Amino acid sequence: MGLAAAAVAHSGLGVVTLLKILLGDPLSGVASAPQLLPEPVGALGQWLPPGAGGSLLRSVAFFDGGAAGGPARTLML
């Protein structure tokens, strides 16, 4: 990998990290529930890793693993 490619890879990592923190965490609905967020935002947040992780944790902890397949598949991707 050349120097230019390494610089792009490092800056891309920073962009992805900022997007995850600035978009993924608020859209996840983990602090309350994704159903309390506006309609397209709550559904979109469940396709991101923080939302899927929160839903998986909620499903396993409170509902004995019911409906845990969707969030588990999202996290495996």
Side-chain angles (χ1 to χ4, degrees), residues 55-77:
S55 293
L56 181 63
L57 180 65
R58 196 177 298 120
S59 295
V60 171
F62 298 116
F63 302 110
D64 200 28
R73 280 190 299 274
T74 300
L75 290 173
M76 287 181 154
L77 293 177

Side-chain angles (χ1 to χ4, degrees), residues 15-48:
V15 169
V16 168
T17 301
L18 280 176
L19 285 176
K20 185 235 177 255
I21 292 171
L22 294 177
L23 291 178
D25 290 345
L27 297 181
S28 68
V30 174
S32 57
Q35 294 81 10
L36 297 177
L37 295 172
E39 182 55 39
V41 174
L44 174 68
Q46 296 309 298
W47 287 96
L48 298 172

Side-chain angles (χ1 to χ4, degrees), residues 1-11:
M1 180 183 303
L3 185 59
V8 169
H10 287 296
S11 65

